[in-house]
Amino acid sequence: MKQKSVLVIGAGVGGICAAIHLRKQGFQVTVLEKNAHPGGRCDRFTRDGHHFDTGPTLMVMAPLYQAEFAALGAPMERLLDLKRVDPTYRLIFDDRRQLALTSDMKSMQAQLEAFEPGAFQGMLRYLIEGGRHFDLAVEKLVDRDFRQASDFFCLGNLPLLYQIKPLVNHYRNMGSYFTDPRLKAAFTFQDVYMGLSPYEAPATFSMMPYTELAHGVWYPKGGMYAIVEALVDLAREAGVEFAYECAVERVLVEGRAARGVQLAGGERLEAGAVLANADLPYVYDSLLPDDGQAKRLSRKRFSCSVISFFWGVDRPYPQIGPHTLFLADDYRQNFDTIIGELGLPANPCVYVHAPARLDPSMAPPGQDTLIGIVPVGHLSEGGDQDWAALRDQARAQVFRRLEQVGISDLQSHIKFETSFTPLSWRKRYNLVNGSTHGLCHNLLQLGYFRPGNRHSRYRNLYFAGASTHPGTGLPTAMISGRHTARRMADEAESWGV
C-alpha cells in the first residue's frame, strides 16, 4: 500500500483538490498542515462575532469554479450559497468622482460617457477583446498541463502571439479604448491580482475585467472561507485524512526519489509520493537539499504584498459598499514604488471590504466588520524595511481615504484591530518574501515558463499551488491540484518506491 500512499504538504486549496482527485483514483492520502485549520492563505478568523476572510474577498472567474467543482463530482451550486455582487466595485478617484462597475450596460453607458465621450463604445470593444483573451487563455494556457516543452511550443499555439497580445503592454493597450487615465486605471487595476503592474503586464490580462463584468463577481454565504469548508467536506467524504498543527521540517529524499517527510518533532512518515502544496520557493529553500534550484527561484520575480487591517466596529457604516477601491491619480508612481522600490506609495490605492453588506452574519447586529488593504512592496533582501512604521502609515492612509466618503469617526468606533504585514504572510503561510501571490505572472513566468508540477530530479515529488503553473488564485489552484493529481496517477507505476 505504500506505493499507493501520498503525503500532501499543506492544506491549501490546491492541495485539498489534489487530495480529492487522488483519493478517487484509489490512493491513500494524508494532508499535513502546519496551522490549526485548512485553507492556507485563503484563511479566516473570528473575534467577538466578527468574521474575517484574510485572503481573497471576492469570487471571480465563476466558469472555472463551476468546472472544477464538477470535476470533483459536486455541483458548485449545491455546495455554496452564492450571491452576485453588482456593482462589482465602487471606484473613487482623487477628485472624488466615482465609477460603479456594473453589468447594467445602461448605467455603464451613462457613467462612462460622463467621463469621456465615446468611452462606452471603447469599453464594449475592450470587453470583446477581453472575452477572446479569456476563452483562448483558459483553453490554451490555464487548463493545460505542460509536461514537456513540445506541449507549449507547438504550431497550435503560434496564433496566441497575436490572438491574446502577450507581447503588448496592458496599460499602453488601453490607449486603443480610452483617453482618460482614470478609465485606463479602472480597467487595469486587476493586474495587481497577478502581482503585476499594468505598465508591465501583458494585455492578455484584459481577460480579468471581462470575466468580472460578463461572468460576475460572487460572494458565498459565510465568506470566501466557505469554499475551503466545502472542499474539506468533499475530501473527508472521499476518505482523505487531515493532520493539523503538523509542520513538515523536510522532505526525505534518496537517490532520485522522495521517501516521505520528517515532521518538526522528528517523526518520519513514509509514502509512495509527496505532493508539496506549500509555497514553491519555500519548498526548495527550506524542505529540500540545496541543489542550486532554490537560488535560481530566488532570482525570479515575486509578486507584491499587502498590509491588511481587520476591524471589528461597534456601529455600521452603510455608506461603505461591499467592495470600494480608491484609485490614485499618480497610478504609475504607485506601482513604481511598490514593485521598483519595495515601498509604500505616498498616495496609495486603498481597497475596503465590508462583508456584512453581502452576508449580515459576518458582523454582530448593529455593528460592522471592515477590512482595509493597502498594496505594498514585498520583503527586501536586506530586511531594512520598518514594517511597524509602514503599517502605521498605511493605516493613516485608509482613514484618510474613508474621510473622502464622509467617514471621519471610524477610529473612535473600532473595538479591536488585527493587522497583517509581509512579515505576517511569511510567518503564517511560509510565503517567501511575504509575497501574497507567490511568483508574479510576467511573460517569462507564464505557461511553460512557470515552474511545473513535478521535481526535475525526484520523480515522485510533485507540486501544486500559486507559484506553479497555471498560477495564483483560487480557481487556478483548483486546476493546479487537478492537473497534478492526474499526472501522479499517470506516473505512479514509475515511482518505484
Side-chain angles (χ1 to χ4, degrees), residues 202-270:
T204 308
F205 289 133
S206 62
M207 63 186 281
M208 297 306 297
Y210 163 77
T211 189
E212 289 179 347
L213 290 175
H215 304 136
V217 169
W218 300 82
Y219 187 79
K221 185 177 182 180
M224 291 296 289
Y225 196 76
I227 297 171
V228 174
E229 293 175 321
L231 291 173
V232 170
D233 287 345
L234 291 176
R236 293 191 188 282
E237 291 172 8
V240 174
E241 296 183 358
F242 289 85
Y244 298 113
E245 298 182 303
C246 190
V248 172
E249 189 172 73
R250 63 189 177 104
V251 177
L252 302 172
V253 296
E254 181 182 325
R256 295 181 60 85
R259 299 300 179 182
V261 303
Q262 179 173 308
L263 304 182
E267 182 182 0
R268 294 187 171 209
L269 304 177
E270 295 186 348

Side-chain angles (χ1 to χ4, degrees), residues 130-445:
R132 181 176 71 249
H133 290 179
F134 182 88
D135 292 340
L136 286 169
V138 169
E139 177 189 356
K140 299 286 189 176
L141 298 176
V142 176
D143 198 13
R144 292 286 303 277
D145 182 9
F146 300 113
R147 300 186 187 182
Q148 53 194 9
S150 59
D151 292 337
F152 182 75
F153 298 104
C154 59
L155 290 176
N157 279 348
L158 277 177
L160 294 178
L161 289 173
Y162 63 86
Q163 289 175 330
I164 64 173
K165 297 186 174 181
L167 304 179
V168 178
N169 175 276
H170 193 187
Y171 192 86
R172 190 178 307 120
N173 187 56
M174 298 306 295
S176 301
Y177 305 102
F178 307 109
T179 300
D180 192 311
R182 292 168 298 186
L183 297 184
K184 293 179 182 180
F187 291 97
T188 58
F189 71 82
Q190 296 88 345
D191 291 348
V192 77
Y193 300 160
M194 305 294 124
L196 284 176
S197 159
Y199 296 92
E200 62 173 338
T204 308
F205 289 133
S206 62
M207 63 186 281
M208 297 306 297
Y210 163 77
T211 189
E212 289 179 347
L213 290 175
H215 304 136
V217 169
W218 300 82
Y219 187 79
K221 185 177 182 180
M224 291 296 289
Y225 196 76
I227 297 171
V228 174
E229 293 175 321
L231 291 173
V232 170
D233 287 345
L234 291 176
R236 293 191 188 282
E237 291 172 8
V240 174
E241 296 183 358
F242 289 85
Y244 298 113
E245 298 182 303
C246 190
V248 172
E249 189 172 73
R250 63 189 177 104
V251 177
L252 302 172
V253 296
E254 181 182 325
R256 295 181 60 85
R259 299 300 179 182
V261 303
Q262 179 173 308
L263 304 182
E267 182 182 0
R268 294 187 171 209
L269 304 177
E270 295 186 348
V274 175
L275 193 167
N277 182 221
D279 188 38
L280 186 71
Y282 171 81
V283 174
Y284 276 101
D285 184 63
S286 301
L287 302 185
L288 289 171
D290 183 10
D291 61 357
Q293 293 201 59
K295 187 173 183 179
R296 286 192 289 273
L297 272 178
S298 71
R299 290 196 293 263
K300 289 185 177 290
R301 283 281 310 281
F302 284 75
S303 70
C304 61
S305 191
V306 297
I307 297 175
S308 298
F309 301 96
F310 307 95
W311 290 312
V313 183
D314 66 11
R315 56 152 291 191
Y317 286 91
Q319 61 268 53
I320 303 177
H323 302 294
T324 303
L325 183 61
F326 297 87
L327 287 174
D329 284 350
D330 43 357
Y331 191 56
R332 180 161 198 158
Q333 183 60 40
N334 259 256
F335 289 102
D336 288 347
T337 300
I338 292 167
I339 294 172
E341 302 172 17
L342 301 182
L344 173 70
N347 178 34
C349 299
V350 170
Y351 165 65
V352 178
H353 175 46
R357 299 305 163 274
L358 302 169
D359 180 357
S361 70
M362 300 297 282
Q367 301 185 34
D368 220 342
T369 295
L370 299 177
I371 300 173
I373 297 178
V374 183
V376 70
H378 63 63
L379 297 171
S380 65
E381 187 174 349
D384 54 351
Q385 297 137 308
D386 184 344
W387 287 109
L390 290 170
R391 180 196 60 210
D392 292 345
Q393 293 170 30
R395 181 192 297 109
Q397 292 289 353
V398 179
F399 293 144
R400 179 181 68 85
R401 289 295 198 174
L402 288 172
E403 287 178 356
Q404 295 178 1
V405 293
I407 298 174
S408 58
D409 64 344
L410 176 60
Q411 294 186 67
S412 63
H413 290 281
I414 292 175
K415 298 160 54 182
F416 63 85
E417 172 187 291
T418 297
S419 62
F420 286 5
T421 71
L423 294 172
S424 312
W425 303 115
R426 183 176 65 181
K427 180 178 180 181
R428 287 172 176 267
Y429 310 111
N430 290 333
L431 301 180
V432 172
N433 295 330
S435 296
T436 48
H437 297 86
L439 297 177
C440 78
H441 294 71
N442 62 5
L443 189 61
L444 295 180
Q445 293 177 182

